[in-house]
Amino acid sequence: MCDATGDGGGCGADTEPPRRRRAPGTSHPRTCMKCGQGTAALVIRVGDPFCRACFREYFVHKFRAMLGKNRVIFPGEKVLLAVSGGPASSAMVRQVQEGLSREAAKRLRFVPSLVYVEEGAVRRQSPEQREQTLAQIEALLQATGFPYHVLHLEEALELPPSILQPGPGTSGPSGPSYKKAVDSFIQQQRQDGDSGSSLPGHSSQDTPAAPPATRGLPDAAQTQELLRSFEAAGTATAREELLEMLRTHLIVQTARDRGYAKVMMGDSLTRVAVKLLTNLSLGRGAFLAVDTGFTDQRHGDVMVVRPMRDYTAKEIAFYNVFFSVPTVTVPPLFTKHREKPSIHQLVERFLLGLQEEFPSTISTVYRTGEKLSPEPAKASSESQRCLLCLCGLDTEGEEELALEPTLILEEPEAGAESKAAYIPLLCYSCRLTFKELGPLDTLPPYVRAEGQRRIHRAEMEQNQENQESSKG
Amino acid sequence: MAAPVSLQVEFGGGAELLFDGVKKHQVTLPCQPEPWDIRSLLKWIKQNLLKERPELFIQGESVRPGILVLINEADWELMGELDYKLQDQDNVLFISTLHGG
Ligand SMILES: [Zn+2]
Ligand SMILES: [Zn+2]
């Protein structure tokens, strides 16, 4: 592998982390450590100055190497790229564009489409501001020439309950092998008489044409209903988790409906490191590998892939400036007056502060994540799978948790419709989040519908067991 | 006595939200006994451009961790960081890589 990063970690990783070296107070231009000629334009890791040309080569190569190493995206496969307008996903789209325009031997061979989830409602944007953001995003999406889908977060209210169950898995170990897929792709190309001049997939008929852009915003009533869920969440942390859940479910549902078996998300190395520590703090230790790994197969038929997780936020920001990658800035998720910041924000501040003094902090955290097993608690049936995050329940033998005073809420209603009845359906971490979400009638309808179904089913099974034991 | 210095100061990645959403600022720094450097520019920005919540941009005498600085499209780490002596017509870009808040 031609690793140009000169990754300083390596064997000495267990020794005292290097202290930040203050740059000398001169403005004398330094030369690139890669080619030894160009004027350095940025420092990518401790003490590695790169010129623009070498940095570009390094950046583009890393993307292809990431996909090549993992071999999960099949040639000719339809892939949905989740775009937020932010730096990492915008750089990701540019890498796919670069990859598709390369000479045949180095060319990426999948068929990309884009999806954007508009979240202005929970970012406290006025309808005018939302329209403005949408116009900017659409310009950005259109400029790529790829088909794209624009969704509004409000549409999560109409998600089917089935999004909380894994779809029939085609991407798992039972799916077609990478090699088989490559072979059949090459055969297909020969049949098509592909000389290598056309882009992959553009000859096949099932490539969707760019759909008409979603014009207009959702009804005010829908926006109100969505906001009710977010307002009812008692903490900024729960609100962040709710947003992440709704967004992910919307994107995965879009992929499922339209036949994409892979979704690419633009989590950077910095974001992965923040997510790792955040999720650890949120009690999601058992699921770190699924939550932050290269592949995430919890949804079964739709695999989530994170090809940007090798790039630091700094590398991405510099790439976007140097090579004019357009981005769109949106305001942050709303917070309530005088509210404590979310754990997500606190961890980000903490990690970036530490990084300032110890420049290897973030990549060390990231590398720790690399060592985690990608197969945590396996769930063979839905009763063993968390209602909200679809991970295998990690609460075995911790049933007393359900009775923990902090998890019991004052409930006017009784029976299956009480909030407490949901607790056994949730993993440890989602129990904590669920507690901070509002009353049941503020939960997204699909969560409630699926929750009720599982509660009824569990009751029926319980009754059957009771009958059988009374017979015997 | 250093002559006045004209700069283009830019904000991106969400940092512009702390400056009324304005990304590009044409700035003329007044004469002062010492030559202008990034350290004194940050002080000037805090007093003249930053409307509210300076802690979201400045920490101590430097920028908050997570905010990148580019001087004439190059990493400030190559340029002496806070000690870089500003020259007329320089371009200084601040990019936030912070996710929220
Ligand atoms: Zn070079
Ligand atoms: Zn869960």
Side-chain angles (χ1 to χ4, degrees):
Chain A
M1 225 189 83
C2 59
D3 187 353
T5 65
D7 194 335
C11 6
D14 292 332
T15 58
E16 173 89 355
R19 275 254 173 198
R20 181 180 169 78
R21 287 202 307 256
R22 284 286 154 196
T26 66
S27 55
H28 188 73
R30 285 167 72 185
T31 47
C32 171
M33 66 87 70
K34 181 87 189 299
C35 65
Q37 291 176 343
T39 305
L42 86 157
V43 179
I44 56 164
R45 295 274 160 88
V46 202
D48 287 348
F50 267 49
C51 74
R52 267 188 196 225
C54 291
F55 174 60
R56 183 172 184 201
E57 198 50 46
Y58 153 86
F59 201 97
V60 172
H61 169 78
K62 197 142 94 169
F63 191 78
R64 227 168 47 83
M66 187 71 156
L67 293 181
K69 187 177 78 184
N70 290 283
R71 297 190 150 220
V72 295
I73 310 278
F74 297 166
E77 188 169 42
K78 285 169 69 183
V79 176
L80 191 58
L81 312 187
V83 177
S84 69
S89 61
S90 302
M92 175 173 78
V93 172
R94 176 62 66 86
Q95 293 323 293
V96 171
Q97 288 178 299
E98 286 269 356
L100 291 174
S101 63
R102 291 228 142 185
E103 67 271 33
K106 288 185 169 183
R107 194 190 300 151
L108 294 177
R109 295 164 185 277
F110 57 85
V111 186
S113 299
L114 312 177
V115 62
Y116 173 75
V117 181
E118 189 273 330
E119 303 169 349
V122 297
R123 298 181 182 278
R124 290 266 192 264
Q125 285 186 304
S126 68
E128 293 72 33
Q129 289 168 325
R130 292 178 71 176
E131 299 273 13
Q132 234 171 30
T133 300
L134 266 177
Q136 288 178 313
I137 282 285
E138 287 210 23
L140 189 149
L141 297 174
Q142 250 159 24
T144 65
F146 298 146
Y148 63 88
H149 312 278
V150 174
L151 310 169
H152 299 281
L153 194 62
E154 281 89 339
E155 292 173 56
L157 299 171
E158 275 135 44
L159 280 168
S162 57
I163 189 66
L164 296 169
Q165 297 162 19
T170 54
S171 55
S174 54
S177 77
Y178 182 81
K179 187 171 180 317
K180 258 192 217 159
V182 173
D183 290 347
S184 73
F185 177 76
I186 291 170
Q187 216 165 17
Q188 182 66 40
Q189 275 201 325
R190 284 205 190 109
Q191 280 165 9
D192 293 349
D194 186 354
S195 60
S197 58
S198 71
L199 290 178
H202 279 215
S203 53
S204 71
Q205 318 94 316
D206 64 353
T207 305
T214 319
R215 283 273 158 241
L217 298 170
D219 294 352
Q222 278 185 308
T223 302
Q224 279 314 309
E225 197 190 336
L226 180 72
L227 275 173
R228 220 161 60 89
S229 289
F230 280 83
E231 303 268 9
T235 60
T237 302
R239 230 170 285 127
E240 295 263 13
E241 290 291 294
L242 180 63
L243 174 59
E244 165 103 19
M245 178 182 87
L246 296 182
R247 180 198 300 131
T248 306
H249 289 165
L250 259 181
I251 293 170
V252 171
Q253 186 64 42
T254 304
R256 189 170 282 168
D257 288 344
R258 298 174 188 265
Y260 298 93
K262 306 283 155 60
V263 172
M264 282 188 182
M265 303 257 193
D267 300 275
S268 67
L269 187 154
T270 311
R271 184 107 330 266
V272 162
V274 170
K275 216 165 160 187
L276 239 144
L277 283 195
T278 301
N279 287 3
L280 202 57
S281 318
L282 290 174
R284 296 189 58 77
F287 313 131
L288 290 181
V290 188
D291 287 341
T292 62
F294 179 73
T295 58
D296 174 351
Q297 305 199 51
R298 80 184 81 180
H299 301 286
D301 55 344
V302 177
M303 184 198 283
V304 174
V305 182
R306 303 185 180 98
M308 298 303 285
R309 63 195 295 288
D310 251 0
Y311 300 95
T312 62
K314 178 180 174 182
E315 290 168 351
I316 289 168
F318 272 80
Y319 182 87
N320 291 348
V321 170
F322 288 170
F323 307 108
S324 312
V325 177
T327 58
V328 176
T329 305
V330 290
L333 176 60
F334 78 84
T335 49
K336 293 180 183 170
H337 189 54
R338 292 208 174 159
E339 190 176 50
K340 273 192 282 185
S342 66
I343 291 182
H344 310 72
Q345 280 177 27
L346 292 173
V347 167
E348 182 181 48
R349 267 182 228 171
F350 166 73
L351 264 186
L352 288 168
L354 206 55
Q355 170 86 3
E356 204 62 14
E357 290 301 317
F358 301 99
S360 60
T361 300
I362 286 177
S363 46
T364 303
V365 171
Y366 164 78
R367 275 204 297 273
T368 306
E370 291 298 86
K371 291 165 189 156
L372 297 167
S373 143
E375 282 296 333
K378 272 208 178 114
S380 49
S381 72
E382 70 171 33
S383 61
Q384 297 173 304
R385 200 175 288 122
C386 175
L387 175 71
L388 294 184
C389 73
L390 281 80
C391 289
L393 291 183
D394 54 349
T395 47
E396 191 77 25
E398 292 181 57
E399 285 316 307
E400 69 277 9
L401 271 174
L403 303 170
E404 212 176 276
T406 52
L407 286 171
I408 302 237
L409 292 118
E410 316 257 319
E411 283 294 333
E413 319 144 87
E417 261 292 63
S418 81
K419 219 177 154 182
Y422 281 66
I423 295 295
L425 307 178
L426 303 169
C427 73
Y428 174 71
S429 173
C430 290
R431 287 178 183 188
L432 300 176
T433 304
F434 186 79
K435 190 193 82 177
E436 294 175 351
L437 294 175
L440 284 180
D441 65 349
T442 67
L443 294 184
Y446 71 100
V447 171
R448 215 169 143 193
E450 178 66 10
Q452 278 175 30
R453 195 184 65 77
R454 290 192 199 179
I455 290 165
H456 285 308
R457 203 178 132 153
E459 278 174 354
M460 271 162 59
E461 280 170 5
Q462 192 62 51
N463 286 344
Q464 243 167 17
E465 256 173 54
N466 290 348
Q467 275 174 6
E468 270 159 32
S469 63
S470 67
K471 264 186 230 160
Chain B
M1 201 68 179
V5 181
S6 286
L7 306 172
Q8 171 143 279
V9 177
E10 290 185 65
F11 303 96
E16 70 273 23
L17 298 177
L18 299 170
F19 299 88
D20 286 337
V22 179
K23 287 191 169 182
K24 291 188 182 185
H25 299 250
Q26 285 300 335
V27 159
T28 303
L29 301 174
C31 296
Q32 64 166 26
E34 297 294 312
W36 285 93
D37 55 16
I38 298 286
R39 187 180 284 106
S40 50
L41 172 66
L42 286 172
K43 257 185 228 152
W44 186 90
I45 287 176
K46 189 176 173 182
Q47 281 157 9
N48 293 277
L49 292 183
L50 207 47
K51 297 282 151 60
E52 46 183 330
R53 306 186 68 190
E55 73 279 7
L56 295 184
F57 188 72
I58 304 244
Q59 182 173 308
E61 61 174 10
S62 189
V63 287
R64 182 183 172 194
I67 293 179
L68 305 172
V69 187
L70 285 79
I71 301 163
N72 300 325
E73 290 219 336
D75 194 345
W76 79 330
E77 288 183 38
L78 294 162
M79 317 279 279
E81 302 188 17
L82 291 170
D83 296 324
Y84 173 80
K85 301 277 178 291
L86 287 160
Q87 299 179 16
D88 202 45
Q89 303 309 318
D90 271 350
N91 178 296
V92 184
L93 167 59
F94 298 93
I95 306 177
S96 173
T97 64
L98 291 149
H99 206 52

